[in-house]
């Protein structure tokens, strides 16, 4: 009975975490929109939310929140043709970034806790996970854009996407750290 | 927020079953990637444009095309430069545009326009509730659909929270948000967002246990289901739409078989 209640509580908590982070990713994506005509759309802070989710909440939450959040933002912002592609690319990016940063932590026998947070979240690990995420995002968007409207035009997106990713990694890691410092119970929400 | 893309109406496309609409959408997407004559791309794009005008008017069509117009211009300018060869169609300065390049450019423009417009038409004529019910019908798990629904519910809440936090930060540190500070570049400009984002994230995270508790009260995760999504009627209950959808699907597949 107790086990069943625990399972129910855990499922409700996971749904709540995924839903709130998905909404947050969508809001961050829509919040700051710097148009980068004549490409896909705009530079936004959605990447900050993606990297924050991956660094703080782990690969599964990052997969759901990144994929759904950014594709919902595409729907709202008027880029519905990109929504399925965005879902796939950002879900993979969230998953891989989360797996790398948390995999690296496991390999060095570190866990998320107050004592080892600084070690868990070293600049090197964040950079490695972020770079992998950036390569996935930039590469897959280039491929998708190239197939849809030609590789010369798709190449125009690369610099904008790289800038967006670098900002996302920097601000996402800083945000992760400052949220943890200001609100330590956040570590209990990771799964 | 997403309601702005749905254009309420009483047309045949509005009334059409969303499950059939999604299948046709997928077929059109396949068609636009199928290596066939440019003519079919043009014809399909023209039909979609016509349907958008019929369902939501010329302004809606212009709004959709305007959003992708800069990209289409870029494609028109760049593609001929990277597709040389074949007999020259016309020459501008030192650059001669061949027949092959012109065809490739036209194909890419029609493909991207067609893809954009078919998705636009779908969301123009299908409300969010039916999109989610259709996803459920196609096998998206209950929890997945619930996450999407809850996320849509929380977007206005977090957007409102962001506005309030931004206003509070402006009041506490007006110099940072003054007109002159906009000239700041690079990291300084980016770091300006950090305190604001931290506040928004923490406030959002704090709402998670409350949401989880309300989900538990509704029996989410329990073996005894206390809530569920309504089901769409069986497809056989919409025979006219099913027949019309099949005919459209067959017509759409003509370019694939030719």
């Amino acid at each position: 009975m107790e086990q069943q209640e625990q399972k129910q509580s855990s499922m409700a908590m996971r749904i709540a975490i995924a839903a709130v982070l998905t909404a947050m990713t969508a809001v961050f994506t829509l919040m700051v929109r710097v148009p980068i005509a004549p490409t896909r759309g705009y530079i936004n802070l959605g990447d900050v939310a993606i990297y924050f989710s991956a660094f703080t909440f782990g690969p599964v939450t990052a997969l759901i929140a990144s994929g759904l959040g950014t594709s919902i933002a595409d729907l709202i912002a008027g880029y519905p043709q990109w929504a399925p592609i965005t879902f796939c690319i950002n879900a993979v990016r969230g998953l891989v970034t989360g797996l790398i940063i948390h995999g690296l932590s496991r390999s060095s026998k570190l866990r998320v806790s107050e004592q080892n947070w600084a070690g868990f979240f070293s600049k090197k690990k964040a950079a490695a996970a972020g770079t992998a995420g950036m390569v996935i995002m930039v590469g897959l968007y280039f491929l998708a854009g190239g197939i849809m409207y030609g590789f010369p035009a798709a190449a125009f997106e690369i610099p904008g996407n790289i800038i967006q990713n670098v900002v996302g990694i920097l601000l996402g890691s800083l945000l992760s750290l400052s949220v943890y410092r200001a609100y330590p119970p956040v570590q209990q929400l990771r799964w | 927020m997403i309601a702005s893309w749905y254009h309420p109406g009483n047309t045949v496309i509005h009334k059409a079953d969303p499950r059939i609409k999604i299948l046709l959408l997928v077929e059109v997407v396949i068609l636009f990637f199928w290596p066939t004559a440019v003519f079919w791309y043009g014809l399909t794009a023209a039909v979609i444009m016509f349907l958008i005008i019929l369902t939501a008017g010329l302004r809606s069509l212009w709004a959709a095309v305007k959003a992708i117009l800069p990209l289409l211009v870029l494609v028109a300018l760049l593609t001929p430069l990277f597709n040389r060869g074949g007999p020259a169609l016309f020459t501008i300065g030192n650059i001669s545009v061949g027949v092959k390049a012109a065809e490739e450019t036209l194909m890419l423009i029609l493909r991207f326009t067609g893809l954009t417009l078919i998705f636009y038409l779908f969301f123009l004529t299908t409300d969010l509730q039916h999109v989610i019910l259709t996803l459920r019908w196609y096998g998206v798990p209950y929890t997945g659909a619930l996450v999407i629904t809850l996320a849509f519910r929380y977007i206005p809440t977090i957007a409102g929270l962001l506005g309030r936090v931004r206003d509070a930060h402006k009041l506490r540190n007006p110099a940072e948000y003054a007109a002159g500070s906009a000239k700041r570049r690079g990291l300084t400009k980016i770091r300006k967002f950090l305190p604001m984002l931290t506040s928004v994230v923490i406030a959002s995270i704090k709402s998670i246990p409350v949401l989880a508790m309300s989900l538990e009260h509704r029996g989410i995760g329990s073996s005894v289901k206390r809530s569920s999504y309504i089901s769409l009627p069986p497809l056989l209950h919409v025979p006219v739409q099913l027949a019309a959808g099949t005919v459209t699907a067959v017509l759409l597949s003509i370019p694939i078989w030719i």
Side-chain angles (χ1 to χ4, degrees), chain B:
Chain B
M1 286 171 90
I2 198 167
S4 60
W5 289 103
Y6 175 63
H7 188 278
N10 207 22
T11 63
V12 176
I13 304 176
H14 279 91
K15 287 178 188 168
D17 192 289
R19 292 165 291 187
I20 298 171
K21 280 199 271 185
I22 275 198
L23 272 185
L24 293 176
L25 180 140
V26 171
E27 191 170 351
V28 171
V29 170
I30 293 170
L31 175 67
F32 275 114
F33 286 106
W34 200 265
T36 183
V38 178
F39 166 77
W40 293 108
Y41 284 18
L43 185 67
T44 315
V47 170
I48 299 167
M49 282 181 187
F50 178 68
L51 291 175
I52 291 176
I53 294 170
L54 270 187
T55 49
L58 199 61
R59 271 190 187 179
S60 283
L61 174 66
W62 173 239
V65 173
K66 202 170 73 173
I68 57 166
L69 205 56
L71 181 57
L72 297 182
V73 171
L74 188 73
V75 173
L77 291 174
L78 288 180
T79 312
L81 298 177
F82 292 87
N83 280 279
R84 297 294 176 89
L89 196 65
F90 57 88
T91 309
I92 307 167
N94 295 330
I95 302 162
S96 66
V97 177
V99 178
K100 199 182 149 197
E103 220 173 82
E104 176 80 6
T105 308
L106 192 61
M107 188 266 287
L108 291 173
I109 287 174
L110 287 172
R111 174 187 287 168
F112 192 62
T113 309
L115 288 172
T116 303
L117 294 182
I118 192 64
F119 275 95
Y120 186 71
L121 179 64
F122 178 76
F123 286 105
L124 205 64
T125 57
T126 317
D127 62 11
L128 180 66
Q129 183 190 345
H130 280 98
V131 173
I132 291 172
L133 290 178
T134 308
L135 292 176
R136 278 283 295 140
W137 193 84
Y138 278 113
V140 169
Y142 176 75
T143 46
L146 192 62
V147 167
I148 300 172
T149 314
L150 288 170
F152 272 107
R153 164 69 186 81
Y154 262 75
I155 287 172
T157 309
I158 295 176
L161 175 71
L162 179 73
R164 288 196 299 278
V165 169
R166 191 167 13 203
D167 288 347
H169 278 262
K170 270 184 194 173
L171 284 172
R172 285 163 60 187
N173 195 2
E176 191 70 29
Y177 290 85
S181 68
K183 288 175 185 171
R184 289 179 179 180
R185 298 237 176 258
L187 273 178
T188 320
K189 196 176 174 184
I190 294 164
R191 282 187 69 175
K192 190 181 83 175
F193 285 100
L194 194 61
M196 186 180 73
L197 295 180
T198 308
S199 307
V200 173
V201 168
I202 291 174
S204 303
I205 289 171
K206 280 183 175 174
S207 71
I208 289 174
V210 181
L211 175 60
M213 207 188 303
S214 68
L215 289 173
E216 264 183 72
H217 287 157
R218 284 175 175 229
I220 305 298
S222 164
S223 53
V224 184
K225 284 187 180 177
R226 271 192 264 164
S227 66
S228 64
Y229 280 94
I230 55 167
S231 298
L232 289 167
L235 267 179
L236 289 175
H237 286 204
V238 286
V240 179
Q241 292 190 34
L242 197 60
T246 312
V247 170
T248 315
V250 170
L251 287 175
L252 278 170
S253 62
I254 290 173
I256 294 173
W257 301 116
I258 286 179

